[in-house]
Amino acid sequence: MSFGMTGGSSTINFKMDCSGKRKILVWNSSMLEWNALQAEPGHECNTYGYCGAFGFCDTTEPVPTCKCLDGFEPISNEDGSSGRFPKGCRRKEKLRCGRENSFLTLTAMKIPDKFVYVKNRSLEECSAECSSNCSCTAYAYANMNTKAINVDDTRCLIWMGDLIDTGKLIEQGENLYIRVNSLSDKKRWGNILKITLPVVSSLLILICMWLVWICNCQAKQRNKKIWKNMISGALSNSGELADGKFSFFSFREIVLATNNFSSSNMLGHGGFGNVYKGTLDRPQWREQMKEQIHCLTL
């Protein structure tokens, strides 16, 4: 298609090929060639259906890039170097129709192609229209600011299959509501475990510390009781022969005999500690020593 400009010899040529690319060309009479005045799309990512089913062209990036919608992943990435998904995207989790479905809101989106227009529906009615139909994969709703279509100034768009030619816009986009599975039991239990495990672990650590403290206290009490029994037994048996050959002295008697372990009474020290000499005035001990000396003289 071409047309001429009034009052001049310049000619403008508008061309669009089968891939959807369009150019506005201006004839340069001096060079005898067509110069591109404008070309759309500026990037292949903006070409119709370039990102495949459930993929979208993110034009908010410095270089427009193909991405998968939330909850989807590439089917294949054979042409990953160019950021294209030749076979589109697929759901990470198979969609289950029922009460476990919810709708994910994507903002500032270029709406996909091949929608079904439902007349005279409010936003709530449009949502209910899609929710009640398991074949509905997404819906959108926006104000058209016109009553040219059957005196209906709103629009309810729903999609029954793949979402084709979706885009992310910098501004003036619309909300797109995509049907997804609600939080699955596995993810729900995962979130519960993320919360409960630290709490349970902390409680177990506190309980273990409390048990260790209790055991230490009980051990100390047992040791004190044992020492108390030993000391009381030693005091009660003080002056008696332990096995018929040696006398048993209480700690109190040893302290008195060594003058409270005075350094003047220390004879030396060995592997088990210091050695002290002691003097104890006890009649039973004197009698025992006399008997031992008498035995030695005999």
Side-chain angles (χ1 to χ4, degrees), residues 25-84:
L25 305 175
V26 178
W27 176 254
N28 189 332
S29 58
S30 61
M31 300 295 295
L32 299 179
E33 62 180 14
W34 293 97
N35 295 332
L37 180 64
Q38 184 179 359
E40 293 289 342
H43 190 276
E44 288 187 351
C45 179
N46 297 324
T47 304
Y48 178 86
Y50 183 80
C51 297
F54 297 107
F56 70 96
C57 182
D58 189 355
T59 60
T60 63
E61 298 287 343
V63 177
T65 307
C66 282
K67 297 181 180 179
C68 289
L69 296 172
D70 292 347
F72 293 78
E73 61 184 1
I75 296 177
S76 64
N77 198 19
E78 298 173 359
D79 193 18
S81 59
S82 62
R84 183 185 181 187

Side-chain angles (χ1 to χ4, degrees), residues 237-248 284 288 291-292:
N237 296 328
S238 178
E240 297 180 2
L241 293 177
D243 55 1
K245 295 181 179 180
F246 301 98
S247 297
F248 189 92
Q284 185 180 358
Q288 182 183 359
E291 291 178 1
Q292 293 179 359

Side-chain angles (χ1 to χ4, degrees), residues 209-272:
M209 294 174 63
W210 179 74
L211 290 175
V212 170
W213 180 77
I214 291 295
C215 292
N216 288 335
C217 291
Q218 291 179 350
K220 290 180 180 179
Q221 292 295 332
R222 285 196 300 268
N223 291 336
K224 289 181 179 179
K225 187 175 181 180
I226 292 171
W227 278 106
K228 184 177 180 181
N229 293 336
M230 290 178 62
I231 293 174
S232 62
L235 292 175
S236 62
N237 296 328
S238 178
E240 297 180 2
L241 293 177
D243 55 1
K245 295 181 179 180
F246 301 98
S247 297
F248 189 92
F249 298 96
S250 67
F251 183 76
R252 183 181 299 175
E253 290 176 320
I254 295 175
V255 171
L256 294 174
T258 59
N259 192 19
N260 197 18
F261 299 100
S262 175
S263 58
S264 60
N265 291 350
M266 188 174 68
L267 299 176
H269 61 85
F272 295 96

Side-chain angles (χ1 to χ4, degrees), residues 1-216:
M1 179 179 65
S2 63
F3 59 92
M5 301 295 292
T6 303
S9 60
S10 299
T11 302
I12 294 179
N13 189 7
F14 178 87
K15 297 180 63 177
M16 182 172 64
D17 59 23
C18 59
S19 67
K21 295 181 180 181
R22 55 191 182 275
K23 295 181 181 180
I24 298 179
L25 305 175
V26 178
W27 176 254
N28 189 332
S29 58
S30 61
M31 300 295 295
L32 299 179
E33 62 180 14
W34 293 97
N35 295 332
L37 180 64
Q38 184 179 359
E40 293 289 342
H43 190 276
E44 288 187 351
C45 179
N46 297 324
T47 304
Y48 178 86
Y50 183 80
C51 297
F54 297 107
F56 70 96
C57 182
D58 189 355
T59 60
T60 63
E61 298 287 343
V63 177
T65 307
C66 282
K67 297 181 180 179
C68 289
L69 296 172
D70 292 347
F72 293 78
E73 61 184 1
I75 296 177
S76 64
N77 198 19
E78 298 173 359
D79 193 18
S81 59
S82 62
R84 183 185 181 187
F85 309 136
K87 297 182 180 180
C89 303
R90 61 186 175 191
R91 292 183 183 272
K92 295 180 180 179
E93 185 178 356
K94 187 178 180 180
L95 186 64
R96 301 185 302 273
C97 184
R99 295 181 179 179
E100 61 271 13
N101 290 159
S102 61
F103 286 88
L104 180 66
T105 304
L106 303 179
T107 60
M109 299 297 292
K110 171 191 173 185
I111 61 174
D113 193 11
K114 299 181 180 180
F115 54 81
V116 177
Y117 171 54
V118 183
K119 300 179 182 180
N120 300 320
R121 294 290 191 274
S122 64
L123 176 59
E124 292 76 14
E125 291 171 340
C126 187
S127 176
E129 185 81 23
C130 187
S131 299
S132 61
N133 189 345
C134 290
S135 300
C136 180
T137 55
Y139 74 93
Y141 184 88
N143 192 339
M144 298 180 66
N145 294 323
T146 180
K147 295 187 178 181
I149 303 178
N150 298 327
V151 197
D152 184 7
D153 62 350
T154 62
R155 63 177 177 178
C156 174
L157 310 178
I158 63 176
W159 286 263
M160 296 297 182
D162 296 343
L163 304 184
I164 304 295
D165 197 41
T166 310
K168 177 70 173 178
L169 305 178
I170 298 176
E171 57 183 7
Q172 296 181 349
E174 299 179 5
N175 289 343
L176 180 65
Y177 304 91
I178 301 177
R179 183 191 291 269
V180 294
N181 289 326
S182 298
L183 192 61
S184 63
D185 293 338
K186 183 176 180 181
K187 292 181 179 179
R188 187 181 298 111
W189 280 109
N191 290 339
I192 293 175
L193 289 176
K194 288 180 181 179
I195 298 174
T196 56
L197 279 180
V199 176
V200 173
S201 300
S202 301
L203 289 176
L204 289 175
I205 292 173
L206 292 175
I207 291 173
C208 291
M209 294 174 63
W210 179 74
L211 290 175
V212 170
W213 180 77
I214 291 295
C215 292
N216 288 335

